């Protein structure tokens, strides 16, 4: 069973091999493929798409992740990190305020990702938390992240 990461203090440890990083946002998906150890960027893609999923958000998230992995030519990553624009607990998204401002959402994104990559290490966290780890990985210890976005209505 894959591990998951939900925003604790401990930085995730990634096994050797290809790692996919996803950033799900209101205008689509940004994804990157890196090689571990070392974190050398292999390729990155943007899949612009209005991220309004409708009634079955879980299926739409899986479809978006699958499309991102296919665009990266990375069907079997050793690990996947999924950043989402909302609160995350135990791999579940409880709200997506920038995508659905007036709507409670319960999506078990970790379980959905596990269906795609059952042998991979998986982490789901807030997108700003993921950005913070990028700064920490580069050696920064004092920084502040501001985020601005357009709110869906």
């Amino acid at each position: 069973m894959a591990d998951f990461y939900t925003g604790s203090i401990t930085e995730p440890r990634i096994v050797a091999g290809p790692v996919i990083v996803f950033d799900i946002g209101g205008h689509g998906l940004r994804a990157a493929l890196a090689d571990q150890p070392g974190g050398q960027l292999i390729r990155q893609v943007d899949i612009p798409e209005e991220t309004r999923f409708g009634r079955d958000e879980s299926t739409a998230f899986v479809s978006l992740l699958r499309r991102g992995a296919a665009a990266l030519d990375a069907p079997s990553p050793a690990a996947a990190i999924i950043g989402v624009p909302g609160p995350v607990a135990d791999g579940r998204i409880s709200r997506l305020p920038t995508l659905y401002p007036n709507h409670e959402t319960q999506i078990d994104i970790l379980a959905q990702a596990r269906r795609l990559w059952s042998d991979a290490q998986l982490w789901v966290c807030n997108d700003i938390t993921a950005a913070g780890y990028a700064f920490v990985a580069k050696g920064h210890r004092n920084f502040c992240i501001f985020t601005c976005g357009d709110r869906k209505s």
Side-chain angles (χ1 to χ4, degrees):
M1 181 177 280
D3 297 320
F4 67 91
Y5 169 73
T6 59
S8 69
I9 296 298
T10 306
E11 187 172 352
R13 282 171 276 155
I14 298 175
V15 299
V19 176
I20 301 177
V21 178
F22 295 102
D23 180 10
I24 299 171
H27 296 286
L29 175 78
R30 289 186 295 175
L33 177 65
D35 188 38
Q36 283 296 106
Q40 181 172 348
L41 181 67
I42 298 170
R43 75 183 60 83
Q44 60 188 25
V45 297
D46 286 329
I47 299 177
E49 178 177 299
E50 184 69 19
T51 316
R52 288 188 158 262
F53 298 124
R55 297 181 64 85
D56 190 0
E57 291 98 353
S58 293
T59 301
F61 268 97
V62 168
S63 175
L64 199 55
L65 294 174
R66 185 179 286 124
R67 286 177 53 205
L72 292 169
D73 193 25
S76 301
I81 302 166
I82 304 164
V84 297
V88 177
D90 298 323
R92 292 179 181 84
I93 304 166
S94 59
R95 290 194 69 236
L96 293 166
T98 57
L99 302 181
Y100 305 102
N102 302 313
H103 177 71
E104 290 293 321
T105 303
Q106 293 294 324
I107 302 172
D108 191 341
I109 192 84
L110 178 64
Q112 299 298 327
R114 217 178 252 136
R115 288 190 180 113
L116 292 175
W117 307 295
S118 60
D119 294 329
Q121 287 187 339
L122 303 170
W123 291 276
V124 177
C125 62
N126 176 271
D127 54 354
I128 302 305
T129 301
Y133 272 109
F135 280 95
V136 170
K138 291 179 182 178
H140 299 287
R141 296 293 175 250
N142 297 306
F143 57 88
C144 180
I145 298 173
F146 291 93
T147 181
C148 299
D150 59 347
R151 187 176 166 118
K152 306 282 183 210
S153 56

